[in-house]
Amino acid sequence: MEYGLIGEKLGHSYSKLIHEKLADYSRSFGYTYDLHPLTREEFPHFMEQKDFKAINVTIPYKKDVIPYLDELDENAAAIGAVNTIVNKDGRLMGHNTDFSGFAYMMKQSSVNAFGKKVLVLGTGGASAAIAAVLKKQRAAQLLFVSRTGKGEAVTYEECVSLHSDAALIVNTTPVGMYPAVDASPLDLAPFTACEAVLDVIYNPGETRLTAQAKALGMKGITGLSMLVAQAKYAFEFFLEVSLPDDLIPRITEALGASL
């Protein structure tokens, strides 16, 4: 494999389709991108072999890959998770394009965290990159929400009773993702001060959470643009090219119409 995606379960991944569209738009002829599911047992051997030019990394290996890398860029080091690896003559360089992808998603949606109380639902790998963006935008208060409330997180019950004045809510959990599309991680009705809800889920194109947000007069944005944006930034690392950001909405629209 030259370029591709590793993860445990990749059956519903859109990454191959997006990278093929990026290759078409950029005229990168001969570029192939493969989905390469790995079990926990297969993962160490794959990383030790280094038999790839560049790869993307998804659940559950975004943190597990770090011990195999020779270097991390600034974003990946600060976040503590990697979703893009480039092999340069046997030296593995780790990047995190989820950071740039979420920043793009916020900018395109005209949402900013500056001076606001923000709730981040979930404490997994995606939440770390998203929290880094929110901190860079100087959110006034950033709270993580989890079912257990372990560590610095609050529980969902505490979230509703103590933090219903949040202005921005970001879902990084898989709750509401296909095929369990009728699920939602949170009832938004108590959050009367909320301006916008961003859900990193991209399948379905409208989650139950974002649909409720819109019904309550809030912005509701799902994650397809983030997915395309992070892929575009990864593609640039892969091939050492620079592509215009206006490719992102074009591919997002084309992808959305084909799904």
Side-chain angles (χ1 to χ4, degrees):
M1 180 176 71
E2 291 192 338
Y3 304 99
L5 172 70
I6 65 167
E8 196 166 31
K9 297 177 181 179
L10 304 178
H12 298 293
S13 173
Y14 295 167
S15 292
K16 180 176 174 62
L17 189 56
I18 294 170
H19 275 260
E20 288 173 348
K21 289 183 179 295
L22 285 165
D24 288 342
Y25 281 117
S26 63
R27 299 180 182 274
S28 299
F29 302 114
Y31 176 86
T32 58
Y33 185 96
D34 300 307
L35 302 181
H36 193 72
L38 293 171
T39 65
R40 295 278 188 175
E41 293 74 25
E42 293 168 334
F43 170 73
H45 178 72
F46 176 86
M47 292 304 301
E48 289 163 2
Q49 289 294 106
K50 304 182 183 181
D51 190 16
F52 55 83
K53 289 183 178 179
I55 54 171
N56 287 130
V57 184
T58 191
I59 297 169
Y61 302 126
K62 289 185 179 184
K63 295 183 179 180
D64 294 351
V65 296
I66 292 177
Y68 297 92
L69 307 182
D70 298 291
E71 190 176 352
L72 299 177
D73 73 5
E74 183 179 351
N75 282 343
I79 293 164
V82 166
N83 79 328
T84 300
I85 301 172
V86 177
N87 185 347
K88 291 190 175 183
D89 300 319
R91 286 183 56 82
L92 302 185
M93 176 71 174
H95 306 273
N96 191 307
T97 64
D98 285 335
F99 178 96
S100 301
F102 184 68
Y104 174 88
M105 178 183 176
M106 292 191 72
K107 182 179 179 181
Q108 284 297 105
S109 306
S110 300
V111 175
N112 195 286
F114 178 77
K116 297 174 183 177
K117 176 186 276 193
V118 185
L119 300 178
V120 175
L121 311 183
T123 56
S127 68
I130 283 160
V133 175
L134 297 169
K135 289 174 183 176
K136 186 173 182 178
Q137 291 189 0
R138 296 168 62 191
Q141 189 175 5
L142 179 58
L143 295 160
F144 293 94
V145 185
S146 72
R147 288 174 297 176
T148 62
K150 289 182 179 179
E152 298 180 355
V154 300
T155 65
Y156 281 88
E157 291 76 13
E158 292 169 330
C159 165
V160 173
S161 62
L162 301 175
H163 303 292
S164 61
D165 58 339
L168 179 62
I169 297 173
V170 184
N171 178 42
T172 72
T173 78
V175 178
M177 184 169 65
Y178 179 85
V181 296
D182 291 328
S184 180
L186 188 68
D187 179 10
L188 298 173
F191 296 87
T192 55
C194 186
E195 303 166 6
V197 175
L198 288 83
D199 194 335
V200 302
I201 289 172
Y202 53 85
N203 184 10
E206 181 84 281
T207 61
R208 184 174 176 183
L209 183 70
T210 57
Q212 186 187 23
K214 292 175 181 178
L216 293 172
M218 312 167 189
K219 284 186 176 181
I221 301 105
T222 47
L224 188 57
S225 66
M226 175 182 171
L227 181 73
V228 175
Q230 66 81 23
K232 180 258 188 187
Y233 301 132
F235 186 91
E236 291 177 324
F237 282 125
F238 283 9
L239 299 187
E240 296 184 325
V241 297
S242 181
L243 303 178
D245 271 357
D246 65 11
L247 275 181
I248 300 171
R250 289 163 62 186
I251 294 176
T252 301
E253 184 177 350
L255 188 62
S258 67
L259 299 176

